[in-house]
């Protein structure tokens, strides 16, 4: 855990590092991920009052970290004495991406009054999206794009904007973290934005595949990949919600 003061210092160190491309690439190599432990997920779910939370970038003990801030019922960050954090690091083992479609097959037969079969219909119900989930193939491409192109993206942001356009914090749906029974891994990726007509960094959260295979839901596409996080910048509205940026 880091005190609020330590979180403020870590964020300022990150913001200072964003002006130097070599330092940014040292802190976030293209193959680094963030791991969120069950303990930290439980802490977030206990303190969070809405369906999203904030994950701030920081530099602590000369390493890039991600600090987790729960939100109150109005969507603003809750002022707490300390916050959990995770250090960005390499993967230490393989991870499995799983996607399965759960369909419903409905068979309807009609008998006449004199017990004659007069109709047989077979209907297959396609999955209904509960969210705007990209298919696994698209997500894999987004992850590979980050792996291949993030150094050039960082260089462009620093060369053209002095690093001001590089993310400070991510706005993340709490359900991306599943139920907190297992560790969740966040991988950086690039997602195309129609608003900005360019690729925008995002985080793909990968849950343990057992959570998926043991929890089938009818009329849905089930996946252990979630990619709804939004970075600030550029998505910083409303600014008043990001209290640590204003401290």
């Amino acid at each position: 855990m880091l005190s609020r003061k330590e979180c403020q210092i870590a964020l300022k160190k990150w913001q200072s590092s964003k002006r130097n491309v070599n330092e940014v690439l040292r802190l976030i190599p293209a193959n680094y991920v963030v791991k969120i432990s069950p303990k930290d997920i439980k802490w977030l779910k206990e303190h969070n009052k809405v369906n999203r939370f904030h994950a701030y970038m920081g530099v602590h003990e000369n390493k890039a970290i991600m600090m987790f801030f729960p939100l109150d019922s109005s969507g603003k960050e809750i002022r707490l004495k300390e916050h959990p954090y995770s250090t960005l690091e390499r993967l230490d083992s393989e991870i499995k991406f799983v996607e399965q479609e759960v369909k419903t097959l409905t068979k309807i037969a009609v008998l006449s009054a004199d017990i004659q079969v007069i109709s047989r219909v077979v209907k297959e119900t396609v999955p209904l999206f509960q969210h705007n989930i990209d298919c696994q193939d698209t997500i894999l491409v987004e992850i590979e794009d980050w792996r291949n192109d993030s150094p050039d993206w960082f260089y462009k942001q620093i060369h053209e904007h002095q690093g001001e356009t590089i993310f400070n914090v991510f706005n993340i749906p709490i359900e991306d973290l599943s139920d907190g029974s297992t560790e969740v891994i966040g991988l950086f990726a690039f997602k195309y934005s129609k608003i900005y007509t360019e690729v925008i960094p995002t985080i793909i959260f990968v849950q343990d595949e057992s959570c998926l295979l043991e929890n089938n839901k009818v009329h849905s596409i089930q996946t252990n990949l979630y990619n709804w996080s939004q970075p600030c910048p550029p998505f910083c509205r409303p600014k008043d919600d990001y209290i640590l940026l204003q401290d």
Side-chain angles (χ1 to χ4, degrees), residues 155-167:
Y155 176 82
K156 182 176 186 292
Q157 306 311 310
I158 293 171
H159 179 70
E160 296 181 0
H161 307 287
Q162 294 73 53
E164 292 295 325
T165 51
I166 297 174
F167 48 83

Side-chain angles (χ1 to χ4, degrees), residues 44-83:
L44 266 171
K45 288 181 175 287
E46 287 177 350
H47 290 83
N48 207 63
K49 306 304 179 184
V50 289
N51 60 357
R52 306 182 75 85
F53 69 98
H54 290 167
Y56 277 90
M57 295 298 303
V59 178
H60 181 64
E61 296 181 343
N62 213 28
K63 296 179 180 179
I65 63 171
M66 194 165 279
M67 305 170 288
F68 309 119
F69 279 60
L71 309 181
D72 64 21
S73 58
S74 66
K76 297 184 184 300
E77 293 164 8
I78 302 173
R79 289 184 177 273
L80 299 171
K81 291 184 178 180
E82 57 183 9
H83 295 264

Side-chain angles (χ1 to χ4, degrees), residues 3-245:
S3 68
R4 184 172 184 84
K5 183 64 176 179
E6 288 174 319
C7 290
Q8 293 169 337
I9 292 172
L11 174 60
K12 285 179 168 51
K13 286 182 178 179
W14 166 250
Q15 292 173 320
S16 176
S17 299
K18 293 194 304 176
R19 305 187 189 103
N20 185 318
V21 66
N22 291 327
E23 181 64 2
V24 169
L25 296 181
R26 183 191 71 81
L27 290 168
I28 311 183
N31 61 339
Y32 268 32
V33 303
V34 59
K35 299 177 181 179
I36 308 180
S37 69
K39 178 181 178 181
D40 291 343
I41 294 173
K42 181 180 179 181
W43 183 94
L44 266 171
K45 288 181 175 287
E46 287 177 350
H47 290 83
N48 207 63
K49 306 304 179 184
V50 289
N51 60 357
R52 306 182 75 85
F53 69 98
H54 290 167
Y56 277 90
M57 295 298 303
V59 178
H60 181 64
E61 296 181 343
N62 213 28
K63 296 179 180 179
I65 63 171
M66 194 165 279
M67 305 170 288
F68 309 119
F69 279 60
L71 309 181
D72 64 21
S73 58
S74 66
K76 297 184 184 300
E77 293 164 8
I78 302 173
R79 289 184 177 273
L80 299 171
K81 291 184 178 180
E82 57 183 9
H83 295 264
Y85 73 96
S86 294
T87 302
L88 273 63
E89 59 187 49
R90 291 172 58 96
L91 277 174
D92 53 14
S93 62
E94 295 178 346
I95 54 176
K96 184 183 294 184
F97 292 1
V98 179
E99 177 180 291
Q100 66 180 10
E101 295 184 3
V102 181
K103 299 182 179 180
T104 300
L105 191 66
T106 303
K107 297 181 179 180
I108 301 174
V110 179
L111 292 180
S112 65
D114 58 353
I115 318 299
Q116 297 277 344
V117 177
I118 59 175
S119 174
R120 282 185 175 178
V121 178
V122 177
K123 296 180 179 179
E124 184 177 62
T125 304
V126 298
L128 299 178
F129 291 91
Q130 296 174 330
H131 298 281
N132 184 22
I133 302 175
D134 288 336
C135 71
Q136 184 180 109
D137 292 342
T138 299
I139 289 176
L140 290 174
V141 170
E142 293 172 349
I143 293 172
E144 290 177 343
D145 285 347
W146 176 269
R147 179 71 170 80
N148 297 328
D149 301 332
S150 60
D152 290 332
W153 183 83
F154 281 125
Y155 176 82
K156 182 176 186 292
Q157 306 311 310
I158 293 171
H159 179 70
E160 296 181 0
H161 307 287
Q162 294 73 53
E164 292 295 325
T165 51
I166 297 174
F167 48 83
N168 290 313
V169 53
F170 286 87
N171 187 21
I172 302 170
I174 194 74
E175 67 178 292
D176 282 13
L177 304 184
S178 187
D179 60 1
S181 60
T182 60
E183 180 182 70
V184 173
I185 297 175
L187 301 94
F188 288 96
F190 279 129
K191 189 177 184 68
Y192 182 76
S193 169
K194 293 180 180 178
I195 297 173
Y196 292 93
T197 63
E198 61 180 339
V199 293
I200 301 293
T202 187
I203 302 178
I204 309 294
F205 288 93
V206 186
Q207 302 172 1
D208 188 274
E209 69 273 11
S210 62
C211 297
L212 164 68
L213 299 176
E214 295 173 2
N215 186 31
N216 294 337
K217 295 178 182 178
V218 178
H219 300 317
S220 64
I221 286 183
Q222 298 297 298
T223 176
N224 68 332
L225 306 178
Y226 295 84
N227 67 330
W228 308 316
S229 62
Q230 289 186 321
C232 165
F235 301 103
C236 298
R237 296 179 60 191
K239 288 186 177 181
D240 290 345
D241 289 354
Y242 297 88
I243 296 176
L244 192 67
L245 287 177

